[in-house]
Amino acid sequence: MTQQLDQGQLKKLAAEYAFEHYVKPDMLIGVGTGSTVKYFIEKLAEVKHLIKGTVSSSSASTLLLQQLQIPVFDLNSVDQLDVYIDGADEVTQYLHAIKGGGAALTREKILAANSKKFVCIVDESKLVAKLGKFPLPIEVIPMARSYVAREMVKLGGTPDWRNNVVTDNGNWILDIHNLDIIDPVALERQINSITGVVTNGIFALRPVNELIVASADGKIKVIK
Ligand code: 5RP
């Protein structure tokens, strides 16, 4: 009988696959945030002298990178990233994702936008037929929190303020439950047009390029 791996083992497997297949000498690598990416950062330490360096999507990832003496650059001091590696909270076979469970969505979106290739690493529980079961995170300017929440109710959502969380940019997070995300590209654009929204956690306008999914039997599926 094939041994079934747990979620942590699958995250590690996906991260190691990304490390082996997408990291090359002299690359400038965008690094996401979360427990899956943590495994990727640990692997990256093995080649820290061979890569150009990294740009980080959060203070949490920056800390880990620096603890392992992996070079971290400010995005404004470098050109386009060769590759951006990050996890997701939900992702579809159409390469649209929801991110921001770790409140780093804005910087993650900036790095994804500024990279040649966006590689998403997940365990199979994150692969869904339709986005929206995971509450959609929205980063908001603090004074706009109630206004944005009311606008999201008009769109059919149920907002929940992620109390006690302040993003790396000094803003707040609203988690929106019960959204019917039929057209991720249109909804991403629509929510971003609400005044006071910094960005929302739908990654569809700039989708994932390659999705690495680790399944419980230890196999890796790559969706492009
Ligand atoms: C952080 C994110 C993460 O990629 C997402 O929450 C997945 O995290 P994990 O790898 O811990 O499951 O978007 O803002």
Side-chain angles (χ1 to χ4, degrees):
M1 210 180 80
T2 330
Q3 196 202 345
Q4 298 289 294
L5 303 176
D6 67 30
Q7 195 185 27
Q9 291 171 311
L10 296 183
K11 289 180 178 195
K12 188 162 185 264
L13 211 61
E16 288 177 352
Y17 184 93
F19 172 75
E20 279 152 26
H21 291 81
Y22 297 93
V23 174
K24 306 270 181 285
D26 285 323
M27 271 190 165
L28 188 59
I29 298 163
V31 176
T33 299
S35 55
T36 315
V37 164
K38 196 163 172 263
Y39 292 115
F40 177 75
I41 294 174
E42 283 165 7
K43 290 298 290 180
L44 211 50
E46 294 173 13
V47 297
K48 61 186 167 202
H49 303 299
L50 301 177
I51 57 170
K52 207 172 278 167
T54 63
V55 176
S56 167
S57 61
S58 62
S59 50
S61 287
T62 301
L63 189 65
L64 277 173
L65 290 159
Q66 288 174 338
Q67 279 169 348
L68 293 169
Q69 280 111 39
I70 301 169
V72 185
F73 297 111
D74 184 304
L75 185 63
N76 290 314
S77 70
V78 297
D79 204 353
Q80 200 183 18
L81 304 172
D82 293 296
V83 66
Y84 176 56
I85 311 279
D86 200 358
D89 298 301
E90 278 185 352
V91 59
T92 70
Q93 61 172 322
Y94 306 109
L95 304 173
H96 297 146
I98 285 185
K99 293 182 45 53
L105 62 161
T106 300
R107 293 186 185 200
E108 290 172 342
K109 206 174 262 195
I110 293 168
L111 294 198
N114 194 37
S115 66
K116 291 179 195 159
K117 188 179 276 185
F118 174 15
V119 177
C120 184
I121 50 177
V122 294
D123 67 88
E124 64 182 355
S125 70
K126 308 284 186 70
L127 185 60
V128 297
K130 185 176 168 229
L131 298 177
K133 193 161 177 218
F134 190 92
L136 177 67
I138 304 181
E139 178 162 353
V140 296
I141 301 291
M143 72 173 287
R145 173 177 59 88
S146 298
Y147 167 68
V148 174
R150 286 193 295 273
E151 291 300 299
M152 290 311 301
V153 170
K154 288 183 199 162
L155 292 179
T158 310
D160 188 15
W161 178 23
R162 208 183 294 178
N163 225 332
N164 299 322
V165 170
V166 177
T167 71
D168 284 346
N169 312 307
N171 297 315
W172 291 349
I173 298 284
L174 288 174
D175 291 306
I176 316 297
H177 298 253
N178 305 321
L179 281 175
D180 190 19
I181 307 181
I182 295 164
D183 183 344
V185 171
L187 190 62
E188 179 179 359
R189 203 176 269 134
Q190 187 176 11
I191 296 173
N192 280 351
S193 73
I194 299 170
T195 304
V197 167
V198 179
T199 199
N200 73 86
I202 300 177
F203 282 57
L205 287 163
R206 195 284 181 244
V208 170
N209 295 116
E210 301 199 17
L211 173 63
I212 313 301
V213 186
S215 50
D217 59 5
K219 292 207 175 87
I220 293 283
K221 184 157 73 172
V222 181
I223 303 174
K224 299 183 192 187

